[in-house]
Amino acid sequence: MNTREHSPEPTPVATSYWAIVPAAGSGKRMGAGKPKQYLPLAGKPLIAHTLENILQWPGLTGIVVAIAADDREFEKLAAAQDPRVHTVTGGAERADSVLAALEFLSEHADPETSVLVHDAARPLVSGRDIESLLAAGPTALLAQPASDTVKQSRDKHGDPSVEQTLCRDRIWLAQTPQKAPLAVLCNALKTGLAQAPQSITDEASALEMAGYHPQLVPACRSNFKITHPADLILAEALLQHRQTLENIQSGTQA
Ligand code: C5P
């Protein structure tokens, strides 16, 4: 069990902030014939769970969702009618979609405003983890300390045999939300995409290239990204046991 699941109450946060949800991907790894954010989960599209979760975060000003140019599903969601929800057209890669949302926000929000970028495919992030992230330093991200032994293969595709075992003591798996001030993140992403686009796989990697050291905030195990078909079954089971899950996350149940 993750140590975070028994940590003390996070400090309440009064600040206001925006969320950005990149949801313009095709979700090819799911092999489902439609973008994974619209696959059914417990009776409604996956992204509906994520947006309804975010709309309950304390202090939230609004959400900017990056959707594909040919998206015809988003407007059917109940959350799309919420006045706090805005859309922009996403780009070719996740970072391009996030940048489109940041540029929209730059015209509507203070440059110092905190922005939390959260994947559409992580519907089960806990409210306590959001409070911890908001209470962390100005640049921060939810992440999971590696619990398995970490192997490096000799070759990405052709040769899956082991080259070496990495020391996992300092290995964390980055999740979302990832937090930064609006202008800081916008500038870091623009520069990172211009200099080394293939290295920008999340917001933190752009911030790192710009010289920042975002704070790693341990996340509950429920914050996994739905990537493969079996993840939908797991998420559905967790949604059915939400109260038990919340008790575990708040430390009232082992
Ligand atoms: O494919 P992956 O799971 O890494 O995508 C993470 C998030 O980024 C998803 O919510 C997906 O919809 C989004 N994305 C995007 N624009 C792209 C590619 C992915 O908004 N061009």
Side-chain angles (χ1 to χ4, degrees):
M1 176 156 303
N2 184 324
T3 51
R4 166 66 188 81
E5 286 163 6
H6 289 291
S7 59
E9 287 287 328
T11 316
V13 183
T15 182
S16 67
Y17 58 92
W18 281 82
I20 286 177
V21 177
S26 58
K28 290 191 197 82
R29 279 175 288 183
M30 291 293 276
K34 69 154 86 171
K36 70 177 170 186
Q37 54 270 25
Y38 295 116
L39 293 178
L41 170 64
K44 52 189 169 190
L46 165 54
I47 191 173
H49 293 273
T50 308
L51 294 175
E52 286 164 24
N53 185 345
I54 295 174
L55 286 166
Q56 292 178 28
W57 293 354
L60 178 84
T61 304
I63 310 176
V64 184
V65 188
I67 58 176
D70 60 354
D71 187 310
R72 299 288 173 268
E73 300 290 324
F74 189 82
E75 62 192 16
K76 299 178 196 163
L77 301 173
Q81 310 311 320
D82 190 298
R84 292 171 293 169
V85 176
H86 309 262
T87 57
V88 294
T89 302
E93 303 293 336
R94 182 186 182 283
D96 301 309
S97 297
V98 172
L99 187 56
L102 287 166
E103 285 176 336
F104 169 87
L105 262 188
S106 299
E107 292 169 16
H108 296 89
D110 188 276
E112 305 289 319
T113 305
S114 275
V115 173
L116 272 61
V117 181
H118 187 53
D119 289 333
R122 295 184 192 270
L124 285 161
V125 64
S126 85
R128 282 175 60 86
D129 283 350
I130 296 304
E131 288 175 26
S132 300
L133 184 65
L134 291 171
T139 63
L141 66 149
L142 292 188
Q144 192 89 60
S147 54
D148 294 323
T149 296
V150 181
K151 304 288 186 190
Q152 183 172 46
S153 67
R154 294 162 88 183
D155 186 313
K156 188 178 175 196
H157 299 296
D159 181 0
S161 59
V162 174
E163 181 168 276
Q164 62 171 324
T165 299
L166 303 178
C167 174
R168 73 174 177 213
D169 291 356
R170 294 189 298 144
I171 302 285
W172 292 68
L173 306 180
Q175 301 184 336
T176 69
Q178 301 199 358
K179 179 181 82 165
L182 170 58
V184 166
L185 183 54
C186 199
N187 290 335
L189 260 188
K190 276 183 192 162
T191 307
L193 284 172
Q195 289 178 355
Q198 67 289 348
S199 304
I200 309 299
T201 51
D202 66 354
E203 291 63 54
S205 50
L207 293 166
E208 292 152 35
M209 276 179 65
Y212 293 86
H213 295 277
Q215 186 177 340
L216 292 156
V217 178
C220 295
R221 299 184 78 89
S222 63
N223 191 30
F224 60 90
K225 182 169 69 172
I226 291 180
T227 308
H228 300 287
D231 297 334
L232 279 170
I233 298 168
L234 186 55
E236 191 143 345
L238 288 172
L239 281 166
Q240 277 167 11
H241 297 281
R242 186 184 277 279
Q243 190 55 54
T244 312
L245 189 63
E246 280 169 14
N247 291 345
I248 290 171
Q249 288 166 347
S250 66
T252 57
Q253 185 175 321

